[in-house]
Amino acid sequence: MANADKIVYLEKNQGGQAPKATMGKYGVQADACSTMMVQAIKPLVHNLFAQADDDLYRLAENSTSNARQTLFFDAMRGLRLFQEKAEKAYLRLLQNTFTSFWRGKSSISSSANTARADDEEFSLVEKDELEEELAVTSMASRALGQYHRELHALDRRFAHMLGRESIDSEQNPAGPKALSEIFRVVLDDWETEEVLARIVVYKCFEKSVLSSLGDVYESMNLYLADKGVLPELAQQRSAGRVRNRSSAATRNAPHSSAEAGSAADEGAAEASQGEATPSLQELWQYVRQLTAQGAPGVAEGSAAGAVNLQLPVLPKNNVMDALSSMQSAALSDLDLENVEWAAVQERIRQQLSQTLCLDEAGNATHRFGEAEQQTIDVIMMLFDHVLDDANLPDAMRALIARLQIPVLKAAIADDSFVDDQQHPARRLLNDLAAASVGWRDDGDRSEKSLYFQVKRSVDRIVHEYTQDVSLFEEVLEDFARYMEKRAKLKKMLEDRLTQAVSGEEKLEVAKQRVEEVLHELGTYYLPEAAREILEQPWKKLMTILLLREGEEGSNWRKAVNIAKLLVMYLGRDAGEIDRQKLLSSIPDIISGLKKGFSYISFDQKRSSAMLNKLQTCFISVLKHGEVVLDGQQVQQEAADKQADSVDPEIEDEHSISVRNMKEGSWIRMQLDAEEEPLICKLVWRSKFTGTMVFVDGQGNKAGQMKEAELAAYFRDGSAKFLEDAQAPLIDRAIKKMMKVLNARIVGPKLQMAE
């Protein structure tokens, strides 16, 4: 394990010597803290590999191609072989880092990657490398936020033990940043080229290790306070915890654990609060009221047609037996290529009437009881709108349609169906429909596919249901278990996607900022030798430093200062050169450039050639006292004018709607008239560039575009919001029924008024 005994420091080039540790007084406490952390981390690191093994297996199992499946299985096998060495290396490197810290040196950092080969050009801003960089930075930042109180106290105590005024959390060897960077150093020796596999392992490190540090931080703080290291902090933390727990209890009181769902679920909840959905019982009463008032068209569609009240009432048991006889055959021969659902529903109504109330000659022999008539009419009307739901893909619509007779039987057998929104038959319908939103029919009918699972659920109900509603419960539980696994995979895919796009966005923003800084300095007007350095390796270095440190970072400021010095002495506005000042500055400039080249492992031959050309420029300036420029200045001025001419974005209701979209919002896009509409969900939006990322129902990337581009699609009608996408299917159907019923009343009244 090449990295096992490595100690890497926060900056490659420290400006001065770190202060010496004053460990004479606190040597025992320092050793105890190191031991506590190592002992606490050991089982957590072991558990993360077990978790990673499970996650990689799930990815392999759900892969859409044999090649990708093989990659994940190979990564899984490689990780198993790597595990024992990795665990030992991590603990050894953690101990080394603590030892170095107590000796007054800085903690481990992302510059750990300096161990890479020096004889090849290596760019840290490659996408795969950037994804790892962002994974480490992101999970460390989240953990820093989670434990900021504990770490603040620990930072102050460690600083006190070292004889310093303060230390940064990133310098703390027990902090999430150091622990994450140590893991990255160790993982560098895992031989796999599949970046998704590496990201999965980082995620497992966050879940298994970083999310479990609270107890050890608490123990270390209590131990040090007990040993007299800033004991007054304990009282402050205790008071802070009481306040935090009180406020947290207030915030969380109305919520259950199941409510920690997605933004889409929150949006559905808001929608449900905005407009109350009437119950089926209330709907039936409304229909009866309108019928009694003679509202036109309201009584149409009854399964029994005009009712002869002189006919005997068909017993409920006979109704159930007759429905059972037509349950399996209903819609079994449906042709999905040319489905007209209105005709399908009319056919079912005729079958109901013929089977239940007519003799062989077609004469009425019985009539439904009022309760059965009510239930049949409401359920048939309900399915009219269910099968017209635009959120359902055609293949799933056909499967759900086959549940019409079993649901009708369940509603007749159990009166609570009408009023109980938690009735298992209603919940099954809602869950099957919710799972289908955004599903794209890729032809996959294998056992792991959503289509197979929905079909299996429908088949069990159609072939096994008699009158025992517990079958719906059983099928519902089986489907929920499948959906739980599917949700985890979708979340993993969405996280992977958003992290990749976020990394690309951050990289793009960093590049733009570096361009702005160099442009503001006037680096385009330098001699070719200096411009070549700034446009190639130095721009790359500045991008990396900006991503890692931000504009407050010391290394970033040093890199910008080198660029300023080049402009000062070689730029178009250099003016009269102070030879002595230039002579004293040249060694610092060359030294700084060499350190920067080393930081990004820039090719030594190319760096030597560039520096030789730059030294020639300096010699020329020293000899002649002036700078020789080329035609780049004219070219740049033309480019500046072109860059200033940018078309303004249109500001209207569509751009405002897109800008106000929340993550979890569903839309329908018809970008090609010959293709199926694309139903997708917004999962990520860049706060820098307005880039939006959408996924389909499987969690796969469905689209990526700027806000202005999506607003244009809304403007020309190619895109629309998917209304009530996360609302229960039954609720959506009831709302549509109410709209239709109201329209049948209001329409004629308006005509009469005219």
Side-chain angles (χ1 to χ4, degrees):
M1 182 69 54
N3 291 324
D5 297 310
K6 200 184 300 176
I7 299 175
V8 190
Y9 303 105
L10 184 61
E11 294 185 357
K12 291 185 180 180
N13 305 296
Q14 301 274 342
Q17 294 294 322
K20 296 295 182 182
T22 56
M23 299 311 300
K25 182 178 179 181
Y26 295 111
V28 174
Q29 287 78 8
D31 290 340
C33 288
S34 305
T35 302
M36 290 169 68
M37 178 55 74
V38 171
Q39 289 178 347
I41 284 286
K42 185 175 181 179
L44 301 180
V45 173
H46 181 77
N47 291 339
L48 88 86
F49 284 101
Q51 179 66 49
D53 191 84
D54 292 341
D55 288 352
L56 288 172
Y57 180 80
R58 279 197 296 270
L59 279 173
E61 192 179 35
N62 290 281
S63 295
T64 56
S65 69
N66 291 333
R68 198 154 182 78
Q69 187 178 63
T70 300
L71 279 174
F72 287 126
F73 277 131
D74 288 345
M76 189 172 66
R77 283 189 289 268
L79 190 64
R80 289 174 180 174
L81 296 173
F82 178 65
Q83 178 177 351
E84 184 178 354
K85 293 181 179 179
E87 289 181 24
K88 291 179 179 178
Y90 188 88
L91 297 177
R92 191 180 304 123
L93 186 51
L94 175 60
Q95 184 65 64
N96 289 348
T97 305
F98 263 98
T99 301
S100 174
F101 175 78
W102 293 128
R103 290 174 179 171
K105 298 180 181 179
S106 298
S107 184
I108 199 165
S109 176
S110 56
S111 53
N113 295 292
T114 55
R116 303 186 187 276
D118 293 331
D119 57 350
E120 63 175 354
E121 182 178 358
F122 184 82
S123 171
L124 288 178
V125 289
E126 295 293 334
K127 285 187 178 180
D128 290 354
E129 181 68 21
L130 180 63
E131 285 196 47
E132 288 194 55
E133 176 79 27
L134 291 172
V136 172
T137 303
S138 299
M139 67 185 185
S141 296
R142 285 190 289 269
L144 281 169
Q146 182 179 354
Y147 304 118
H148 68 98
R149 289 186 178 275
E150 294 86 346
L151 284 169
H152 177 68
L154 205 58
D155 291 343
R156 290 186 61 183
R157 289 192 166 102
F158 280 8
H160 180 77
M161 293 164 68
L162 285 170
R164 302 181 188 176
E165 290 186 4
S166 65
I167 63 167
D168 190 272
S169 290
E170 293 191 1
Q171 296 175 303
N172 190 332
K177 179 68 172 176
L179 298 177
S180 300
E181 289 296 347
I182 293 172
F183 188 66
R184 185 177 185 185
V185 172
V186 172
L187 208 62
D188 277 346
D189 283 347
W190 178 31
E191 297 179 357
T192 180
E193 297 180 357
E194 179 52 53
V195 67
L196 177 54
R198 303 180 74 86
I199 298 299
V200 167
V201 178
Y202 283 125
K203 287 285 186 184
C204 292
F205 180 82
E206 182 176 10
K207 289 187 292 185
S208 299
V209 179
L210 296 185
S211 297
S212 305
L213 296 174
D215 288 341
V216 66
Y217 289 155
E218 189 79 17
S219 298
M220 292 168 73
N221 273 310
L222 289 174
Y223 169 77
L224 292 175
D226 186 58
K227 296 299 181 183
V229 182
L230 301 183
E232 65 274 11
L233 293 180
Q235 296 177 351
Q236 298 173 12
R237 271 183 44 75
S238 177
R241 281 199 305 274
V242 171
R243 289 193 298 271
N244 287 343
R245 288 173 181 169
S246 175
S247 60
T250 302
R251 289 193 306 270
N252 298 330
H255 304 284
S256 66
S257 59
E259 289 175 324
S262 65
D265 298 326
E266 294 172 3
E270 292 174 2
S272 64
Q273 292 172 2
E275 182 180 352
T277 303
S279 69
L280 288 173
Q281 179 69 35
E282 293 170 336
L283 185 66
W284 169 251
Q285 292 173 353
Y286 185 56
V287 171
R288 299 285 289 178
Q289 180 184 354
L290 296 178
T291 304
Q293 295 173 358
V298 173
E300 295 176 4
S302 172
V307 179
N308 183 354
L309 297 179
Q310 302 300 318
L311 292 173
V313 174
L314 190 67
K316 183 176 180 178
N317 289 339
N318 290 23
V319 174
M320 297 296 289
D321 291 342
L323 288 174
S324 296
S325 68
M326 61 182 296
Q327 179 170 302
S328 299
L331 305 183
S332 60
D333 59 343
L334 194 64
D335 179 14
L336 286 180
E337 294 298 324
N338 300 290
V339 180
E340 293 185 8
W341 289 107
V344 169
Q345 287 298 92
E346 182 58 32
R347 190 177 101 190
I348 292 179
R349 285 186 171 89
Q350 292 175 0
Q351 288 177 339
L352 280 172
S353 179
Q354 292 170 359
T355 304
L356 299 178
C357 299
L358 303 180
D359 59 18
E360 294 181 357
N363 299 315
T365 58
H366 294 83
R367 65 183 174 89
F368 295 117
E370 183 176 358
E372 287 77 26
Q373 181 70 62
Q374 163 188 328
T375 304
I376 291 173
D377 285 350
V378 169
I379 296 302
M380 291 299 297
M381 290 173 65
L382 185 71
F383 267 86
D384 286 345
H385 295 281
V386 164
L387 299 179
D388 190 44
D389 194 299
N391 297 347
L392 291 177
D394 290 340
M396 294 299 185
R397 192 193 321 271
L399 291 177
I400 291 174
R402 296 182 60 207
L403 292 175
Q404 188 164 190
I405 300 301
V407 168
L408 179 55
K409 283 176 58 180
I412 293 175
D414 185 357
D415 294 340
S416 68
F417 179 93
V418 176
D419 298 310
D420 184 8
Q421 292 187 347
Q422 297 303 312
H423 190 284
R426 292 180 66 163
R427 288 167 54 206
L428 181 62
L429 272 176
N430 289 334
D431 285 5
L432 294 179
S436 303
V437 174
W439 175 77
R440 286 196 280 186
D441 192 354
D442 56 2
D444 184 7
R445 300 294 187 263
S446 64
E447 187 172 348
K448 66 183 181 181
S449 70
L450 177 64
Y451 182 90
F452 179 90
Q453 296 296 329
V454 172
K455 185 176 185 300
R456 182 166 69 175
S457 299
V458 170
D459 285 345
R460 284 202 61 191
I461 296 296
V462 168
H463 296 300
E464 299 178 27
Y465 176 63
T466 54
Q467 296 187 34
D468 185 2
V469 76
S470 64
L471 178 64
F472 282 95
E473 288 278 11
E474 184 180 331
V475 172
L476 188 62
E477 290 175 2
D478 287 344
F479 187 71
R481 281 193 290 271
Y482 165 78
M483 288 303 297
E484 184 178 3
K485 295 179 181 178
R486 179 180 170 85
K488 290 180 179 178
L489 178 62
K490 282 176 60 178
K491 184 68 166 59
M492 189 183 303
L493 292 173
E494 289 179 11
D495 287 347
R496 148 81 168 152
L497 172 62
T498 55
Q499 189 172 50
V501 178
S502 174
E504 293 173 6
E505 282 288 305
K506 288 181 180 178
L507 175 59
E508 187 61 32
V509 170
K511 285 181 175 179
Q512 291 177 5
R513 179 55 186 149
V514 169
E515 287 280 5
E516 291 174 3
V517 170
L518 295 178
H519 179 70
E520 290 168 2
L521 292 177
T523 57
Y524 293 105
Y525 308 109
L526 290 169
E528 183 180 355
R531 197 170 62 246
E532 183 183 18
I533 290 175
L534 293 179
E535 284 293 314
Q536 296 180 26
W538 210 250
K539 184 182 290 184
K540 185 182 298 183
L541 170 70
M542 291 177 68
T543 302
I544 295 171
L545 294 176
L546 186 57
L547 284 169
R548 289 182 175 172
E549 302 181 0
E551 296 195 38
E552 300 302 318
S554 60
N555 286 328
W556 162 262
R557 292 197 297 268
K558 291 175 185 176
V560 173
N561 189 55
I562 293 290
K564 286 181 178 178
L565 290 174
L566 289 176
V567 173
M568 179 189 301
Y569 294 117
L570 300 178
R572 63 176 179 177
D573 299 324
E576 187 176 346
I577 301 298
D578 185 332
R579 296 184 77 261
Q580 291 302 319
K581 191 174 181 181
L582 174 57
L583 280 171
S584 63
S585 297
I586 288 175
D588 292 336
I589 294 173
I590 299 299
S591 174
L593 290 172
K594 286 182 177 179
K595 291 174 182 177
F597 293 160
S598 174
Y599 194 96
I600 60 171
S601 302
F602 190 60
D603 182 77
Q604 291 184 353
K605 291 182 179 179
R606 291 186 62 192
S607 64
S608 297
M610 286 182 173
L611 292 175
N612 287 336
K613 291 180 182 178
L614 182 65
Q615 287 176 328
T616 302
C617 285
F618 283 132
I619 292 171
S620 175
V621 171
L622 289 170
K623 283 183 177 180
H624 306 291
E626 61 180 4
V627 180
V628 179
L629 300 175
D630 53 23
Q632 181 72 14
Q633 177 175 351
V634 177
Q635 299 173 13
Q636 182 57 36
E637 288 175 351
D640 290 344
K641 292 179 181 178
Q642 185 176 1
D644 290 338
S645 58
V646 180
D647 295 333
E649 294 184 2
I650 300 174
E651 181 71 10
D652 58 9
E653 58 179 318
H654 302 292
S655 59
I656 294 173
S657 296
V658 170
R659 196 159 55 243
N660 291 335
M661 276 182 69
K662 295 181 179 179
E663 291 182 7
S665 299
W666 288 83
I667 62 172
R668 173 194 297 271
M669 291 195 293
Q670 184 80 56
L671 305 183
D672 189 334
E674 298 182 358
E675 295 184 0
E676 286 290 322
L678 177 63
I679 295 176
C680 50
K681 178 179 69 171
L682 175 65
V683 293
W684 183 84
R685 182 206 302 264
S686 169
K687 62 182 179 181
F688 303 108
T689 65
T691 297
M692 309 173 79
V693 177
F694 295 86
V695 298
D696 60 18
Q698 288 97 312
N700 298 316
K701 185 176 181 180
Q704 177 177 332
M705 64 193 73
K706 303 286 187 182
E707 290 178 351
E709 184 180 359
L710 181 59
Y713 288 139
F714 273 97
R715 204 170 285 119
D716 65 19
S718 301
K720 294 180 180 179
F721 285 105
L722 208 61
E723 296 182 4
D724 296 330
Q726 294 300 309
L729 175 67
I730 300 291
D731 288 1
R732 296 203 303 265
I734 290 175
K735 288 181 180 179
K736 289 178 65 177
M737 290 168 67
M738 293 298 293
K739 289 181 180 179
V740 171
L741 291 172
N742 288 330
R744 287 178 178 174
I745 300 171
V746 175
K749 287 185 176 180
L750 289 175
Q751 291 178 359
M752 291 175 63
E754 291 173 357

